[in-house]
C-alpha cells in the first residue's frame, strides 16, 4: 500500500524540485511532518533542502504580536470580566467549568468570524430581524423559533435568568477581549481573527502547501483565499471516491466539507486517480468484535499484535483508542517482545500516583490541620506518610509513621513530634503563619512547589520516565497557579484552590515523547490524520466515543448557531465521520472492537459509522465476540484436609512441646464450632482481620477501654479495703472526677498507646469524646449495679485462669493450655448462699436468650443465641472453681454475664441460667461440660477429620474470610 503522504511527496518533488527551503508545509497537526520528510527524501532520491513544517495553529501564532494565554489564565480573566459585567460574584471554582464553556463559545464565534453583538442579540431586538439583510430567510426563521420560546406570557424564572445572562454576553465578550489585548494576550480564536483581518500581516515564504485538511473554520478559509490570491497556496486533499460520490440520494457526510472546498481550493493531485482516491472499495479483511468490558479489549491487543505478522509490520500497524482512558490498560497489555512502540496520546495526569500525593498534601493542610490547636489529624498525616513517594520527601517517613502509630497512637500530633528531619520539617511547615484565608492559597502552592522540588532532587536516580514526566507536569501546573496568585490574577481561598486543582488535573494529560516513524503506533483518533496503516485495531468504537462529544453543550442554542454558521452537532458528526472513513480507506486488515455491555451509562451500541459500513459498503464483515474466559467468583467453600503441613502449623500454635506459650482460648473453640474453615484461616493460616486505622473507636476497642477503666476503679477500691461496701461505692459515684480519670487512663493505654510512665495530656476528637461520655455512663451504671450487690469482695481483676489440657487425637497425645482472662472474680453472699462469681462485662446491645441445657452450649445452631458466651463463662468458672489460689474455701462458683445496657430493674441478676434456673454452682455441670469440650477439641486436632465449612449462610455473610473462602 502506498500512503497518501507518499503521493504528496512525489507530487511536491515533481512540481517544486528538491530545493524546498522557501516552502512551508502546513498540517492539521504535527505528527505527519516526520513521515512526509522521509517520503520526500525517497521521492527525490538525493539530498533535499527540507521545507519548513508547521501546523495551522502555529502558522497563525507566528503572524501575530499577541500570545495565546494558557487555559488557567484565560478562564481567570474571563471570570473577572463576567463579574464586572454581570455583578454576579460567582466563586471561581464554580465558574471554572462553565467558564471553559463560555470561552469555547467565544472561540467559535471568532473562528467563524461571526458578529458577537448579533449572536448575543437581546430579546428586545427581535423585531429588527425582519430587516437584517445578511441573514437568509431560513436563518431568520431559526432565530425567531428560538426566541419565541422565551416570549410566552407564562415566562418561567429559568427563562428570565437565561435572558438576563444572555443580554450580558456581548458585554462580557467585549470586556474580555479588551482585558486580554491590554496584556498582549488573546485566546486562539481571537488571535486567528486578528491575523486574517489585519491587512498589514505579511506571509514571507514563497509557497505554502496545505496537506490533509477537512473542516475549515471561516478564518482558515479566509487565510487560504488570501494566500491563493497571492499565488502562494497549494492544497492536497485526502479523500476517497466511496464517500465523495455525489450520485447517491444523499451525499455522504464524511465527504461533505472537502467536496464544498474543492472548487475554491483545487486539489494538486488528480481527484479522479483511482490508485490514490479509490481505495475504500479494495479488498479488506474487516472484523467487528464485541466485548463485555473495556479492559478485555485492552488485553486482546497482545494477541492481535502477535497474529498475521502485525507486530513485525512496525509503523504500518496502529492501535487506535476511541476512548483514550484505555491507554493505561493498553500499555500494560502490550507484549514483552514488542520492541519499538510509539505512543502519541497523552497519559491522564489524574491516574498518576503524583496526583494522589498532591490531593493528600492539600488535604493535610486543610481538613487535616486543626488551626485552633496547631495540630494535625493522624488520618491525614498517615495518608501522606504511607504514600509511595513519601520516601522522596524524607527517608524518615517510615520511622515517623511507626512512632505515631505503633509506638504510640498520637491522633493529634504537633509539629515538634512530626518534624524529626529537614524533609519532614518541610512537609509539616506552617503554611498558615497567621495569613488570612484569602492569601493562604498562595502559601500552600509555594509549599507544594518546594515539596515537588525536593521530590525531584531526591529521585534523581529514578528510571521511570512516566514518574519524571508526571512530576514535571504537576510542577508546571502548580507553578502556574502560584504565579497567577502572586500576580493578583487569581484571588481564591484554600477550598477554591483545592477544587480548582482537581478540575485542572482531571483535564490534563502527560505527553509521551518518542520517534513517531518507528514501531507499532498507539494513538488517539485525532493523531491519525494524514497517516495510513496496513493493520488497524480500533478499540472502544462505541456510539459516544465515535463520534465523540456529539452533544452541543454551549450557551448558544442550536438554532442560533445554525443561523450564524457556527459549529453545530452536524459539523462534529461529519468531521468524525471523515476521520473514521479516512482511517479505514487504505487499510487492508481492520479489526474494530466495541463494548456491548449495558452499564455505567454505556448503551452497548457499536458506532453508527460501523453500522453505515455494514449497510452501505460491499465489504464482507466478520462478526465475533470476546469472552473473558473467566467465571464469576462464586463462594464455594470446600473442606480442607489436615495434611502434614497443616498439622504442623496447628501444633506449632497450640502444642506445649513446640510452643511454651500455647493457649487454647474459648474464642478459638467457639470459632471452630461456628465454622471450622474460619478457625483454619485464623489460627492455622494466621490470616488476621484488618483493623481500621481511623480516629473512631470500633466495638472491640470500646469494650477494651471499658474493661480497663473498670479494672482501674476496682483496683483502687479493693486496694483500700478488703470488702467493697455500699458506702465506698456511693462515695465513688459522688466523685465523677475519679471515674473520669480512670477512663482517661484507659484511653491513654488502649487507644493512644501511651506507655506506662509517659505523661501526656489526653486529647480527644469529637467521636472520641462521645465514646468517652458513653463509657463513663456505663461505668456509673456498673457501680450502681454493684451497689445493689454490696458488700462483696474482689478476688481478682483481669485474672488469667488457665489449666493444662490433654488432647487425644488420631492416636496421639497432645498437651496444651486452655483458658483465658476473666474480667472479674468476686465473692458475694445472697439468697443462694456465699459463692464466687466469674463475671464477664458485655458492652454490646444484643440481649441473649437463656439456653435450655448443657448440650445447647455446644450446638452450633444456637450460636445466634450467644452460646459462645456460655462456653467462655462456664469454662472460666470451672477453672477458677478448681483453683486453690482463687477458691481456697471451695465455694460454689457461678458464671455471670453482666450486660451493661440491660441492667434495668431492681431484680437484675447477671448469673447465667439454664432455662429459668440460675447456675449457682457450675460444678454440677462439670462432667458433662468436660466431656463435650474434650470431644470438640479432640476433633479439632484429629488429623483424620478435615476442616469442614459451616452450612449456615448467615455466618458466611458476616465472615471476614468470605472473599477468599473456597479459592
Amino acid at each position: 500500500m502506498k500512503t497518501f503522504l507518499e503521493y504528496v511527496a512525489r507530487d511536491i518533488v515533481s512540481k517544486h524540485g528538491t530545493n524546498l527551503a522557501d516552502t512551508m508545509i502546513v498540517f492539521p497537526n504535527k505528527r505527519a511532518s516526520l513521515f512526509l520528510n522521509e517520503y520526500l527524501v525517497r521521492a527525490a532520491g538525493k539530498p533535499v533542502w527540507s521545507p519548513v513544517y508547521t501546523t495551522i495553529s502555529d502558522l497563525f501564532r507566528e503572524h501575530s504580536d499577541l500570545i495565546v494565554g494558557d487555559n488557567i489564565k484565560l478562564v481567570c480573566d474571563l471570570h473577572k470580566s463576567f463579574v464586572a459585567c454581570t455583578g454576579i460574584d460567582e466563586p471561581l471554582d464554580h465558574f471554572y467549568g462553565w467558564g471553559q464553556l463560555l470561552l469555547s463559545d467565544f472561540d467559535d464565534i471568532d473562528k467563524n468570524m461571526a458578529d458577537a453583538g448579533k449572536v448575543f442579540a437581546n430579546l428586545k431586538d427581535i423585531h429588527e430581524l425582519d430587516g437584517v439583510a445578511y441573514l437568509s430567510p431560513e436563518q431568520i426563521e431559526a432565530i425567531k423559533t428560538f426566541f419565541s420560546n422565551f416570549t410566552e406570557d407564562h415566562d418561567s424564572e429559568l427563562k428570565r435568568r437565561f435572558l438576563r445572562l444572555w443580554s450580558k454576553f456581548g458585554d462580557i465578550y467585549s470586556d474580555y477581549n479588551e482585558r486580554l489585548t491590554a496584556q498582549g494576550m488573546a485566546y486562539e480564536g481571537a488571535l486567528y481573527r486578528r491575523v486574517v483581518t489585519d491587512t498589514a500581516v505579511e506571509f514571507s515564504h514563497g509557497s505554502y502547501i496545505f496537506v490533509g485538511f477537512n473542516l475549515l473554520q471561516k478564518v482558515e478559509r479566509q487565510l487560504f483565499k488570501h494566500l491563493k490570491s497571492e499565488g502562494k497556496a497549494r492544497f492536497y486533499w485526502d479523500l476517497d471516491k466511496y464517500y465523495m460520490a455525489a450520485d447517491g440520494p444523499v451525499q455522504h457526510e464524511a465527504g461533505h466539507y472537502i467536496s464544498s472546498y474543492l472548487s475554491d481550493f483545487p486539489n494538486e493531485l488528480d481527484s479522479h486517480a483511482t490508485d490514490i482516491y479509490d481505495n475504500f472499495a479494495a479488498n479488506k479483511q474487516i472484523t467487528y468484535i464485541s466485548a463485555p468490558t473495556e479492559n478485555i479489549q485492552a488485553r486482546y491487543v497482545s494477541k492481535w499484535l502477535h497474529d498475521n505478522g502485525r507486530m513485525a509490520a512496525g509503523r504500518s500497524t496502529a492501535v487506535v483508542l476511541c476512548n483514550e482512558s484505555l491507554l493505561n490498560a493498553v500499555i500494560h497489555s502490550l507484549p514483552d517482545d514488542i520492541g519499538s512502540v510509539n505512543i502519541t496520546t497523552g497519559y491522564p495526569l489524574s491516574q498518576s500516583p503524583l496526583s494522589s500525593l498532591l490531593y493528600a498534601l492539600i488535604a493535610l493542610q486543610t481538613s487535616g490541620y486543626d488551626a485552633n490547636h496547631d495540630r494535625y489529624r493522624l488520618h491525614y498525616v498517615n495518608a501522606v506518610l504511607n504514600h509511595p513517594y513519601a520516601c522522596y520527601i524524607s527517608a524518615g517517613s517510615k520511622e515517623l509513621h511507626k512512632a505515631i502509630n505503633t509506638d504510640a497512637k498520637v491522633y493529634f500530633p504537633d509539629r515538634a513530634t512530626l518534624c524529626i528531619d529537614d524533609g519532614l520539617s518541610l512537609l509539616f511547615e506552617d503554611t498558615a503563619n497567621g495569613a488570612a484565608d484569602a492569601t493562604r492559597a498562595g502559601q500552600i502552592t509555594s509549599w507544594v512547589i518546594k515539596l515537588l522540588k525536593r521530590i525531584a532532587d531526591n529521585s534523581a536516580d529514578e528510571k521511570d520516565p512516566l514518574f519524571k514526566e508526571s512530576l514535571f507536569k504537576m510542577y508546571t501546573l502548580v507553578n502556574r497557579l502560584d504565579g497567577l496568585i502572586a500576580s493578583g490574577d487569581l484571588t481564591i481561598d484554600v477550598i477554591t484552590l483545592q477544587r480548582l486543582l482537581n478540575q485542572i488535573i482531571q483535564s490534563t494529560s502527560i505527553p509521551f515523547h518518542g520517534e513517531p516513524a518507528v514501531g507499532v503506533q498507539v494513538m488517539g483518533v485525532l493523531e491519525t490524520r494524514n497517516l495510513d496503516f496496513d493493520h488497524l485495531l480500533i478499540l472502544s468504537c462505541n456510539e459516544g466515543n465515535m463520534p465523540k462529544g456529539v452533544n452541543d453543550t454551549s450557551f448558544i442554542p442550536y438554532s442560533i448557531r445554525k443561523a450564524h454558521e457556527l459549529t453545530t452537532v452536524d459539523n462534529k458528526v461529519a468531521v468524525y465521520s471523515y476521520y473514521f472513513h479516512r482511517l479505514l480507506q487504505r487499510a487492508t486488515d481492520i479489526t474494530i472492537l466495541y463494548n456491548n455491555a449495558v452499564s455505567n451509562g454505556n448503551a452497548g451500541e457499536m458506532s453508527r459509522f460501523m453500522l453505515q459500513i455494514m449497510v452501505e459498503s460491499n465489504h464482507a464483515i466478520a462478526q465475533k465476540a470476546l469472552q473473558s474466559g473467566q467465571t464469576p467468583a462464586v463462594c464455594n467453600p470446600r473442606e480442607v484436609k489436615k495434611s502434614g503441613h497443616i498439622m504442623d502449623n496447628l501444633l506449632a500454635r497450640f502444642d506445649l512441646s513446640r510452643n511454651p506459650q500455647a493457649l487454647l482460648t474459648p474464642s478459638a473453640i467457639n470459632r471452630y464450632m461456628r465454622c471450622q474453615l474460619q478457625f483454619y484461616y485464623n489460627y492455622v493460616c494466621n490470616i488476621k482481620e484488618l483493623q481500621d486505622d481511623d480516629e473512631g473507636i470500633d466495638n472491640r476497642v470500646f469494650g477494651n477501654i471499658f474493661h480497663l477503666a473498670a479494672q482501674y476503679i476496682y483496683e483502687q477500691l479493693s486496694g483500700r479495703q478488703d470488702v467493697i461496701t455500699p458506702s465506698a461505692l456511693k462515695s465513688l459515684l459522688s466523685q465523677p472526677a475519679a471515674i473520669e480519670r480512670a477512663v482517661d487512663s484507659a484511653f491513654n493505654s488502649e487507644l493512644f498507646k501511651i506507655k506506662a510512665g509517659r505523661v501526656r495530656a489526653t486529647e480527644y476528637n469529637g467521636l472520641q469524646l462521645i465514646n468517652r461520655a458513653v463509657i463513663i455512663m456505663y461505668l456509673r451504671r456498673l457501680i450502681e449495679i454493684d451497689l445493689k450487690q454490696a458488700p462483696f469482695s474482689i478476688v481478682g481483676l483481669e485474672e488469667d485462669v488457665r489449666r493444662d489440657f490433654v488432647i487425644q487425637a488420631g492416636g496421639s497425645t497432645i498437651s496444651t493450655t486452655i483458658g483465658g482472662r476473666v474480667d472479674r472474680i468476686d465473692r458475694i453472699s445472697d439468697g443462694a448462699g456465699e459463692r464466687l462469681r466469674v463475671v464477664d462485662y458485655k458492652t454490646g446491645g444484643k440481649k441473649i436468650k437463656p439456653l435450655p441445657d448443657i448440650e445447647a452450649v455446644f450446638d452450633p445452631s444456637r450460636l445466634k443465641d450467644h452460646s459462645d458466651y456460655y462456653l467462655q463463662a462456664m469454662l472460666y468458672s470451672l477453672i477458677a472453681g478448681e483453683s486453690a489460689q482463687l477458691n481456697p474455701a471451695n465455694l460454689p462458683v457461678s458464671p455471670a454475664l453482666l450486660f451493661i445496657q440491660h441492667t434495668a430493674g431492681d431484680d437484675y441478676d447477671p448469673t447465667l441460667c439454664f432455662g429459668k434456673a440460675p447456675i449457682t454452682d457450675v460444678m454440677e455441670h462439670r462432667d458433662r461440660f468436660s466431656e463435650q469440650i474434650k470431644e470438640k477439641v479432640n476433633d479439632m486436632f484429629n488429623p483424620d477429620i478435615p476442616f469442614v465449612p459451616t452450612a449456615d449462610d448467615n455466618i458466611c455473610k458476616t465472615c471476614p474470610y468470605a472473599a477468599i473462602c473456597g479459592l
Side-chain angles (χ1 to χ4, degrees), residues 386-420:
N386 286 328
H387 195 280
Y389 292 168
C391 61
Y392 296 130
I393 297 175
S394 167
S397 56
K398 290 184 178 179
E399 177 187 345
L400 176 60
H401 183 271
K402 179 176 179 291
I404 61 177
N405 287 275
T406 305
D407 298 342
K409 201 73 170 178
V410 187
Y411 282 95
F412 295 94
D414 56 19
R415 286 196 175 86
T417 303
L418 297 171
C419 299
I420 61 176

Side-chain angles (χ1 to χ4, degrees), residues 399 467 866:
E399 177 187 345
F467 166 77
H866 280 299

Side-chain angles (χ1 to χ4, degrees), residues 174 339 458 470 485 621 735 849:
S174 299
N458 291 337
S470 61
I485 293 172
I621 299 174
Q735 302 175 48
K849 297 178 181 179

